[in-house]
Amino acid sequence: MFLIIKKIKFLLIYLFVTFGVINAQSGGLRGVVKDIQTKDALPGANIIIVGTSIGAATDVEGKFLLRNVTPGQYRIKATYVGYDAKEMSVNIVSGKTVEIIFELNAVSVEGETVVVTAQASGQKEAINQQLSSIQIKNVVSMARIQELPDANAAESVARLPGVSLLREGGEGSRVVIRGLSPQYNQVTIDGVQLPGNVVSNDPTEQTSIVGDRATNLSMISSSMLGGIEVIKAITPDMDAAVLGGVVNFGLRKAVKDKEGNPTFGLTTQGSYNGLKETYNDYMFVGSYEQRFFDGSFGIFLQGSTEKRNRSSNRLGAGYILEDKTHGDEGIPNINSVNLTDVFSEKERHGATLVLDYAYEDGEIGMMNFFSKSDTKSDYRNQSVNLVGDDVFYSASDVNNELNVITNLLSIKQEIPIFHVDLKLSHTYSESKNPGDISFLFWQDVGGLAGLGNLTKLRPIELVKLPNYNSSASRLNTITTSDNFSRERVLSASLDFQTDLNILDFLTAKVKFGGSYLYRDRSYDINTGHAGNIFLGGGNTVANILKYYPDMELNGSSVTVSNFIDNSYSFDNFLNGDYPIHYPIDIDFMKQILKIVQTNSPDNESYQENESVSLIHDYHGTEDKSAAYVMATFNIGESITVLPGVRYQNLTTNYFAYRGKQVPGGYQYTDTTTNRPNGYLLPALHLRYKPFSWLQIHFAYTNTLNYPDFNTIVPKYNIGTGSISYNNFRLKPATSENFDLVFSIYNNEIGLLTFDGFKKRIEDLIFASTMYVTSLNDYPDLPQEGNRLFEFSTFINNPIAIDVWGIETDWQTHFWYLPEPFSNIVLNFNYTHIFSEASYPRSELKNEYNEMGELTSTIIDTFYSTRLLNQPNDIMNFSLGYDYKGFSGRISMLYQDNIFKRPDFWNQLRVHSDKYTRWDLSLKQTLPWYGIQLFFNLNNLTGTEDTDLNQKNSFPASIERYGMTGDIGLRIIL
């Protein structure tokens, strides 16, 4: 780190001394590239001084700046895919910056005038930004975001190649990039990283996620976005904590009205949910934008509110493998079937305020973003347990609130020699579940005994066999939970860049700088329960019967028959294929809970679960610092080379509790750990344009991924024969990445890309359950001699993991065909991904020796399969038609064979079934006040999310959420 800083200081002194004189004797060229008809800016346009290597690409506002140009007369050329190229003659004067405006004509058939629609314009914008970037990335324009019926930002990102989704209730929540799970990717807004604050309290999940670094994107409405880019090969000036990719959301700036008047926008829509037959969903988006002082100062303000029904029907099936003597030939046995009806409503509220002020030598911007998401969910569950001949009924009330606030101050300033970019940001997020409750009823005789061998039945067959009896299903447990997770991040970055025009055919952009980030994070959970009511629970039942004596008619016990909500209907649950019984009255559950909580003086009825409440609490800080240097060399008009290096360090400091089971309860201690991790990360980008229609881009990068919070907080929990141990010594995973992209482009083709990538990931962190007889390798644990423990922890995988794949993407507009074909807009992409990962496996082999004594042998090995959440195939297709004020889009999203559950035995692995979803979007612009009517249908065919057992192809899970529809209007005044 010291050596890098020393070199940067030397470079600064050298540049000031050597190029100060050159700067005084040179000039500059500043300008903007626009559409000649609409006057809209053209971001990503390529600007070049003809006959030299001096050039630049326009930014999102269509602006460009060329520095340190030798005085003289030049021809300046502007090119933009979808538009005719244009040249202008410019005289560069010493010590001055000349300003010009390029106005380009959209390409057209000879003799015809082409009006470029917003949708086609947005496609061209994305194409040119993608081509001009030295990073390897994919782009979604604001126009395309608005043209497709995406429920949130995650759905919009999934339209890009290499991106798949993890969904909840039919709505995307987190993204998988190039087969790498959400925690291996990064999400930013205007370059400011959003915190990972994922806390899952879904009672249908086997485990809750507490402290994942992944960002939940369902909180961000697509209506708030000005554009999306997914960066897959970063440059050294970016945070390197990413294995898959960076999703960057751009927020809009104010656009200048021709006459300087304010612009107001309003979008309103009503929505329909086909699963629950509801019509009361809505969305309202209002905006105001205006530029003052001849356009130098802008204000953009937007607010949104929406409510969506995100209900679903779910099936979960459990399988066990008893036949482990025939390898992969053994057939798994069905063990349980769970049916869950979820009634869920999500409310999202958001606000954006963007201020920007541009002056001659710089720009100041302030971005403020707020998002609030409230999700209220009721789960009603029915479970059949084959082994115990049991039937369970349960209901849960889960309410989650997720709030995010982001502030960014950006200052861009031209000083002698350098362009300086300073960013100061603040982000605060919190996720809380203020009072989740769950009731469980147990019917201990399901009527399955004596029906023969049922272990090879399909879930649809098994679930129809039990004798469901509400009067025989007695209250077993009551549990409560509330949790609160919060995170605050402060960051600062400072970048310097200068242009060096060494020779006519050789120029360089030298950039260096550093950044610092401070994170403060905490998690607190409190749980309570009234348990074992079925086996006694005297006071719990007595307290309930005191207030509801009529329940005593059911055998002096509280049964599910007392809780049936006759006003609630399961409707056509899972298309009527799976019978589900007894909808539980959740409001009545809340009344009973109050009785149990307030009438248990001896704590028999209800008590806090201290072991769970304390052992999962933690808080701590992280300090991340980085420094980098890079240079972009342009050799002629065809070759660009970017070498660079970044040093990045993360120091973690976390406090947590440690528990040990002792006679009569638990014994607790606490501890704080501090751990630094620093890495040097080289990078190289090479871009070559052998022809005007072909670009080849190679990238070699090194990135890393820090352990999730829930793996390194220094907690452990010691039971009678098991230990759960967080490994605070974990190292970050590192990845060596290779990308090779071929881009074919011109005005007729649009953009056709072929991208091959390979990643070599080392020290990837996996959960591991092993058997140990000695704890010497863990000196912070109590040493208890040679005892056998089942030891659950997290490890850095010692075996490197390879991920590779291919991506292809075609974006085009058939403007050159005769009508009506000239109005067709096409987007298509396909991705195929491979991976090979080694997972840890520990087996305890018990044998009797010749003396009849039982001996245990521990066998630690690894087995190979794919990475978790990696899909095999992803495909997106969108076909649109634009005619005057009409725009229509039919789109398809396809995902196949996503790996959902690893296991040593093939028979217990789970992957997704083929998923194909069709969406329809129609828009019509009316001739009054910019009014636009729109109509959207999502999931036209009602496709279900289905996961399959890898061996027998029986369903392991099904989620059905049905079709949804939107109708509304937009007004621009």
Side-chain angles (χ1 to χ4, degrees), residues 694-722:
L694 176 64
Q695 177 173 289
I696 303 170
H697 192 159
F698 168 78
Y700 168 74
T701 58
N702 286 270
T703 55
L704 48 82
N705 178 257
Y706 298 118
D708 287 333
F709 312 111
N710 64 312
T711 65
I712 57 173
V713 294
K715 69 178 182 181
Y716 62 65
N717 193 3
I718 303 176
T720 54
S722 63

Side-chain angles (χ1 to χ4, degrees), residues 23-44:
N23 182 70
Q25 297 177 348
S26 62
L29 179 65
R30 176 187 289 118
V32 62
V33 182
K34 299 180 177 180
D35 182 296
I36 196 170
Q37 292 180 343
T38 66
K39 307 303 179 184
D40 291 336
L42 299 179

Side-chain angles (χ1 to χ4, degrees), residues 149 272 918-921 935-940 963-966:
Y272 163 77
W918 290 90
D919 303 321
L920 175 67
S921 176
F935 174 70
N936 301 326
L937 289 177
N938 246 327
N939 196 20
L940 283 166
M963 183 188 73
T964 59
D966 307 316

Side-chain angles (χ1 to χ4, degrees), residues 426-450:
H426 160 264
T427 297
Y428 175 79
S429 69
E430 61 182 26
S431 177
K432 52 188 176 183
N433 289 61
D436 299 342
I437 64 173
S438 180
F439 277 49
L440 175 67
F441 298 84
W442 180 15
Q443 178 184 335
D444 67 336
V445 178
L448 299 176

Side-chain angles (χ1 to χ4, degrees), residues 128-380:
N128 286 278
Q129 285 182 296
Q130 187 170 323
L131 281 171
S132 63
S133 175
I134 192 61
Q135 302 149 345
I136 293 177
K137 65 182 180 183
N138 301 104
V139 180
V140 179
S141 68
M142 181 179 68
R144 192 179 178 204
I145 293 172
Q146 293 180 350
E147 76 186 33
L148 293 173
D150 296 326
N152 59 35
E155 299 276 348
S156 299
V157 175
R159 303 286 182 179
L160 292 171
V163 181
S164 57
L165 281 179
L166 300 182
R167 274 186 296 271
E168 295 177 6
E171 181 180 65
S173 60
R174 291 173 289 159
V175 294
V176 176
I177 301 177
R178 291 183 162 180
L180 291 159
S181 294
Q183 66 267 31
Y184 304 134
N185 305 308
Q186 196 177 105
V187 178
T188 61
I189 291 183
D190 280 347
V192 179
Q193 183 178 351
L194 287 178
N197 211 346
V198 179
V199 178
S200 174
N201 281 69
D202 187 339
T204 65
E205 293 185 357
Q206 293 182 344
T207 58
S208 292
I209 304 170
V210 181
D212 196 321
R213 289 187 186 268
T215 300
N216 189 333
L217 299 183
S218 66
M219 64 181 175
I220 302 176
S221 173
S222 297
S223 64
M224 306 183 69
L225 303 178
I228 304 172
E229 56 185 7
V230 177
I231 303 167
K232 297 171 179 176
I234 65 172
T235 45
D237 56 344
M238 299 178 63
D239 187 351
V242 52
L243 298 186
V246 179
V247 179
N248 183 54
F249 297 114
L251 297 180
R252 287 184 54 195
K253 282 185 177 181
V255 177
K256 184 178 180 180
D257 180 81
K258 295 179 181 178
E259 300 178 359
N261 297 320
T263 300
F264 298 92
L266 174 66
T267 300
T268 176
Q269 75 177 36
S271 301
Y272 163 77
N273 180 282
L275 184 71
K276 292 298 182 181
E277 296 287 339
T278 59
Y279 296 85
N280 59 346
D281 291 357
Y282 59 83
M283 181 178 73
F284 297 98
V285 182
S287 66
Y288 156 76
E289 58 184 307
Q290 189 173 7
R291 301 206 70 86
F292 302 88
F293 311 121
D294 198 25
S296 60
F297 177 68
I299 300 176
F300 176 78
L301 176 64
Q302 184 182 73
S304 66
T305 182
E306 63 179 300
K307 187 183 79 169
R308 296 269 187 173
N309 190 304
R310 291 302 175 199
S311 300
S312 61
N313 297 160
R314 302 181 184 179
L315 172 141
Y319 299 89
I320 59 175
L321 181 64
E322 295 180 349
D323 180 7
K324 297 182 179 181
T325 60
H326 294 89
D328 292 343
E329 298 302 318
I331 304 298
N333 296 340
I334 191 168
N335 182 44
S336 61
V337 181
N338 305 307
L339 304 179
T340 306
D341 177 89
V342 184
F343 188 89
S344 181
E345 290 185 330
K346 180 188 290 288
E347 294 184 5
R348 273 189 293 253
H349 312 280
T352 303
L353 173 63
V354 180
L355 309 175
D356 68 281
Y357 175 67
Y359 51 96
E360 183 177 358
D361 293 322
E363 180 180 347
I364 299 174
M366 177 169 283
M367 180 272 291
N368 303 275
F369 168 81
F370 168 75
S371 177
K372 178 182 177 66
S373 173
D374 292 306
T375 306
K376 304 181 186 302
S377 302
D378 292 336
Y379 299 82
R380 294 174 172 87

